[in-house]
Amino acid sequence: MSGHGPAQPMTARRSGPLKGRAEIPGDKSISHRALILGAMAVGETQITGLLEGQDVLDTAKAMRAFGAEVIQHGPGAWSVHGVGVGGFAEPAEVIDCGNSGTGVRLVMGAMATSPLTATFTGDGSLRKRPMGRVTDPLALFGTRAYGRKGGRLPMTLVGAADPVPVRYTVPMPSAQVKSAVLLAGLNAPGQTVVIEREATRDHSERMLRGFGAELTVETGAEGQIITLTGQPELRPQTVAVPRDPSSAAFPVCAALIVEGSDILVPGVSRNPTRDGLYVTLLEMGADIAFENEREEGGEPVADLRVRASALTGVEVPPERAPSMIDEYPILSVVAAFAEGSTVMRGVKELRVKESDRIDAMARGLEACGVRLEEDEDTLIVHGMGRVPGGATCATHLDHRIAMSFLVLGMAAEAPVTVDDGSPIATSFPAFTDLMAGLGADLAAG
Ligand code: S3P
């Protein structure tokens, strides 16, 4: 059963100018996918730049449990000896995906069309999150799922012995659901079609093609129509994982609000399905230069030069939400230091992340003296150009909530404590050292 160690409180104090280079770790979404597709290819996939956060390590362990050989050769350098589409073995143990919604949902998809049974669990955060959004479409392939009330983990999936291909319109903007259906479609005969009304991150589509699957994307009246031809032989690849724009968001936003800062963040992905935060920050008046634009690991990347900036509140268009869904917590921190209101609508998906992120941000910001409004689908932060701080904020086992409030503390008037910084290790284990290296005043306790 997944556990969680003792809480590790951390405190951030008003910091001097942040200066230097921020080397961001590998992209979490791409790291999960590289391990899973590597395990479904025939032969050896080599990965460099893999994120070694706990979420991804849990997916590596899951792939071993299904029979792939997953080996670490050095920092970020891994190989996966895959068993081929349809080649998974039945795991002997419960699959513990820790804190990772992406891990559990993608692995469920990958095994759903193999004739084997697997039981999944996770930590206290993951056991509260809805799995029905994945098991409903998997049922169309013939997969059966037995979980707790409300489709919660622990949950047992009985893979379809005789899967049929599926045509499915994803009811909410979710790359996890889209990807779970595509991964399940790999071992179904014929064509599996996934339709998404709003485009979400496209790493699965890019990588499936890279591994040799036949996949097309058309734009029609219904939205994006993704068609995958089942039962391909996936060919092992060399995957260079680009740096994670969602992790880069923390030093970037810290540099914008800590007076006198000037930092360089090299090689950040500018994939248009991930760059909504950066578009929004520019609209707020952020001084960010995108230098040396190029392609790395199949993704467009740039070096970001970020200087502290006077910011103005903006209205974020709801249709931008899928391209910045993980960045609303840190945007709401930046918004508190801006002049005027920042209006974030169409964000109800934030309520089913590692925590209810609208509630977690609203309570912590209020405790730090920030005025705001919220409803089910909206967060409005009334920026005053300054934040009093001086509070302890609850992180609810959520790495992005912890990092957001620590960034807030670097620019607030009084120190800000988070009740538990340990979840940061799920996505950005080097966060504290990296921020301290730039000059942030961060300490345990
Ligand atoms: C992810 C998709 C998003 C995002 C998560 C990573 C992925 O979740 O919040 O951090 O890698 O597919 P949803 O698909 O639930 O929106």
Side-chain angles (χ1 to χ4, degrees):
M1 199 64 169
S2 186
H4 179 73
Q8 294 167 16
M10 288 181 69
T11 298
R13 294 182 169 76
R14 197 178 177 95
S15 304
L18 304 179
K19 302 269 177 180
R21 226 177 130 86
E23 301 281 352
I24 304 301
D27 189 86
K28 181 153 71 70
S29 294
I30 296 176
S31 294
H32 284 295
R33 288 159 171 81
L35 290 170
I36 296 169
L37 286 181
M40 298 177 88
V42 180
E44 191 153 297
T45 285
Q46 305 285 346
I47 309 172
T48 55
L50 188 84
L51 170 67
E52 286 163 355
Q54 192 55 47
D55 279 11
V56 175
L57 298 179
D58 287 334
T59 291
K61 216 165 113 199
M63 290 301 97
R64 285 190 192 112
F66 282 102
E69 196 178 290
V70 185
I71 300 171
Q72 184 189 19
H73 300 278
W78 290 63
S79 65
V80 183
H81 201 101
V83 293
V85 170
F88 278 163
E90 187 165 79
E93 306 281 347
V94 172
I95 306 293
D96 187 342
C97 290
N99 191 251
S100 182
T102 308
V104 75
R105 292 179 176 136
L106 267 54
V107 175
M108 282 178 169
M111 61 71 61
T113 46
S114 294
L116 46 88
T117 297
T119 300
F120 296 87
T121 192
D123 72 2
S125 154
L126 194 56
R127 290 198 305 270
K128 285 188 196 148
R129 298 179 65 184
M131 295 300 138
R133 55 176 54 199
V134 168
T135 54
D136 288 352
L138 295 182
L140 305 174
F141 288 97
T143 312
R144 283 172 292 147
Y146 305 92
R148 287 166 58 231
K149 211 162 68 194
R152 304 296 200 260
L153 301 177
M155 182 175 268
T156 296
L157 259 64
V158 181
D162 217 352
V164 290
V166 155
R167 183 182 178 90
Y168 188 68
T169 302
V170 185
M172 72 291 288
S174 171
Q176 292 176 2
V177 175
K178 167 179 68 178
S179 302
V181 178
L182 289 173
L183 290 170
L186 280 175
N187 201 32
Q191 292 192 324
T192 285
V193 180
V194 184
I195 298 155
E196 55 175 8
R197 297 193 190 98
E198 298 164 82
T200 62
R201 66 191 68 196
D202 61 355
H203 308 303
S204 297
E205 296 91 305
R206 285 174 188 249
M207 209 181 278
L208 277 162
R209 279 210 196 98
F211 274 79
E214 201 181 308
L215 179 143
T216 59
V217 183
E218 294 157 78
T219 308
E222 307 157 278
Q224 294 217 102
I225 305 158
I226 305 158
T227 305
L228 172 79
T229 302
Q231 298 178 329
E233 179 167 312
L234 297 183
R235 292 185 298 269
Q237 296 299 303
T238 300
V239 182
V241 179
R243 298 169 195 265
D244 196 323
S246 299
S247 296
F250 296 101
V252 165
C253 289
L256 290 174
I257 61 176
V258 172
E259 230 175 273
S261 298
D262 183 352
I263 67 166
L264 187 74
V265 193
V268 178
S269 169
R270 297 232 56 212
N271 179 322
T273 64
R274 295 287 295 280
D275 78 346
L277 172 75
Y278 297 92
V279 174
T280 305
L281 292 173
L282 292 176
E283 289 173 358
M284 296 174 84
D287 183 351
I288 305 177
F290 298 89
E291 298 171 351
N292 197 12
E293 300 206 43
R294 60 201 182 275
E295 191 148 300
E296 271 177 20
E299 298 271 333
V301 303
D303 302 335
L304 272 52
R305 174 94 189 261
V306 188
R307 296 179 181 89
S309 309
L311 301 168
T312 315
V314 293
E315 177 130 11
V316 185
E319 61 276 12
R320 194 178 290 161
S323 69
M324 55 179 291
I325 195 66
D326 292 335
E327 282 66 76
Y328 283 98
I330 190 63
L331 176 65
S332 66
V333 166
V334 170
F337 288 92
E339 292 289 349
S341 302
T342 294
V343 181
M344 296 166 264
R345 292 192 203 280
V347 294
K348 66 173 184 292
E349 274 294 301
L350 295 181
R351 296 204 181 270
V352 290
K353 295 295 178 187
E354 285 81 331
S355 67
D356 175 341
R357 287 182 170 162
I358 296 181
D359 187 64
M361 289 313 298
R363 300 294 79 76
L365 287 169
E366 274 171 353
C368 290
V370 178
R371 285 195 314 115
L372 52 88
E373 292 166 58
E374 66 168 305
D375 68 26
E376 182 56 25
D377 198 25
T378 310
L379 180 61
I380 302 173
V381 174
H382 299 296
M384 305 180 297
R386 52 173 282 272
V387 173
T392 296
C393 304
T395 57
H396 304 284
L397 292 181
D398 189 328
H399 53 130
R400 296 198 203 280
I401 300 298
M403 289 187 277
S404 295
F405 283 119
L406 290 171
V407 168
L408 181 117
M410 293 171 203
E413 284 154 17
V416 173
T417 298
V418 297
D419 64 348
D420 188 10
S422 65
I424 293 171
T426 61
S427 70
F428 198 167
F431 171 79
T432 308
D433 288 346
L434 183 144
M435 293 309 303
L438 297 174
D441 186 346
L442 260 182

